Amino acid sequence: MPSTFLAALLSSFVGTLGIGAQLLNVPKRSLVPGSAIGAIGYTLYWALIVWGGMSEPAAIFIGSLVASLLAQLAAREMKLIASIFANLAIVAFVPGLGLYRCMSLMAQGSTAQGLQTGTAAMVSIVMISLGLAIGSFLFRICFKKRK
């Protein structure tokens, strides 16, 4: 986890920009706004843990929720599908290292520790999914479609 606010903001922006450009192949005009949304969501998560003392799952949920709302707003303003921005928004939250550690520990015979690590990673995935879903739901309730 980054040690400063600026490091959290910049690393999540650059990481999301790189993943979005290379792996997700999103439209070029959505890269910077989508990366900014991802950086805002991740930096909020970071701030809630470091400065607010919040638990990691709760911080992931709130960060994903805010990122989801911003993703929906950006999609509407830029007239693109929301999944482009939602995918970019959660890149920094994905617990890839936790899942890798789970598999590594289980392969080494540390089943209990591997299951504990895997469970924590799965809780993170559930919180990301809930944040995205509830954010999308709230956006649709609060903002009616434009004609």
Side-chain angles (χ1 to χ4, degrees):
M1 181 171 283
S3 58
T4 66
F5 178 83
L6 189 57
L9 186 67
L10 290 177
S11 64
S12 58
F13 179 83
V14 170
T16 302
L17 186 67
I19 295 290
Q22 297 301 317
L23 294 179
L24 299 178
N25 197 24
V26 298
K28 299 228 183 300
R29 67 186 179 116
S30 67
L31 276 173
V32 172
S35 297
I37 291 167
I40 290 167
Y42 180 81
T43 306
L44 175 61
Y45 151 78
W46 177 89
L48 290 171
I49 290 176
V50 173
W51 294 335
M54 189 175 280
S55 70
E56 187 171 358
I60 288 174
F61 172 75
I62 292 171
S64 295
L65 177 80
V66 169
S68 176
L69 290 168
L70 292 172
Q72 295 290 330
L73 184 63
R76 179 171 287 183
E77 291 300 316
M78 294 183 74
K79 294 181 176 46
L80 292 169
I81 58 173
S83 61
I84 291 170
F85 295 100
N87 286 335
L88 288 170
I90 64 164
V91 164
F93 292 112
V94 174
L97 182 59
L99 293 171
Y100 171 78
R101 284 185 179 152
C102 167
M103 291 184 290
S104 176
L105 287 166
M106 292 183 83
Q108 294 171 6
S110 300
T111 308
Q113 191 176 3
L115 288 174
Q116 184 178 9
T117 305
T119 301
M122 293 311 231
V123 166
S124 297
I125 292 169
V126 169
M127 291 298 110
I128 293 167
S129 300
L130 282 174
L132 284 176
I134 292 173
S136 177
F137 176 74
L138 289 175
F139 187 84
R140 290 170 200 265
I141 287 175
C142 295
F143 299 96
K144 302 292 182 202
K145 282 192 174 184
R146 294 181 189 170
K147 292 186 180 186

